[in-house]
Amino acid sequence: MGEAEALGATMFERLGGADAIDRLVEAFYHRMDILPEAKGIRAMHGRDLGPVKQVLKRYLSEWTGGPKLYTPEKGHPRLRQRHVRFPIDVAERDAWLLCMRGALEETIEDAAARHEIDESFTKLADWMRNQAENPHDTRGHI
């Protein structure tokens, strides 16, 4: 157990606070712009990523235990409901995780925190799927 964990630091603090969240989101969307594997998920976004970057920064700040910047503006996250108009299958999940994992590696120094947040992101990304992989997989159906 690291010192930050022992002291009960929030994930927000362990990641490096607001500056780290900003760097993480910028690195994430940069990867989405340049990686061929992310072309499909990039197409789900508007041309200008500025507004969506701000939303993700606010969400991640709150989700990791930092300042509550998302819910006062947007209300309950309702992530699946907000993303239901986008077909999210294994390929989209994997592309999102590829971008996020690269961004984590680039921006977060604390390896334990990086591993823990990656586990959480992996569960979240899988939960966001709304398309079945095959006819016998009903997990993706809403």
Side-chain angles (χ1 to χ4, degrees), residues 16-110:
D19 288 341
I21 296 291
D22 286 348
R23 288 190 310 272
L24 176 65
V25 170
E26 293 297 327
F28 169 74
Y29 281 110
H30 175 71
R31 280 170 171 70
M32 192 181 290
D33 267 339
I34 65 168
L35 294 177
E37 300 92 338
K39 185 178 181 179
I41 61 171
R42 177 60 181 94
M44 295 178 185
H45 295 75
R47 183 179 173 134
D48 178 11
L49 290 173
V52 74
K53 286 179 183 180
Q54 292 308 311
V55 170
L56 184 56
K57 288 175 183 181
R58 290 181 185 118
Y59 174 77
L60 289 178
S61 171
E62 190 167 324
W63 187 64
T64 59
K68 293 193 181 304
L69 303 174
Y70 182 89
T71 55
E73 179 183 327
K74 299 279 190 181
H76 189 281
R78 301 183 324 255
L79 292 178
R80 279 185 61 115
Q81 182 180 348
R82 292 181 193 271
H83 290 81
V84 72
R85 68 178 193 234
F86 303 108
I88 302 172
D89 200 344
V90 172
E92 290 78 19
R93 176 202 63 198
D94 291 351
W96 192 94
L97 285 169
L98 177 69
C99 293
M100 187 54 76
R101 287 176 176 149
L104 285 167
E105 282 291 325
E106 177 185 330
T107 63
I108 305 301
E109 292 181 28
D110 181 331

Side-chain angles (χ1 to χ4, degrees), residues 1-8 14 110 112 116:
M1 180 179 292
E3 185 178 328
E5 292 169 284
L7 296 174
R14 292 176 62 205
D110 181 331
E116 287 175 41

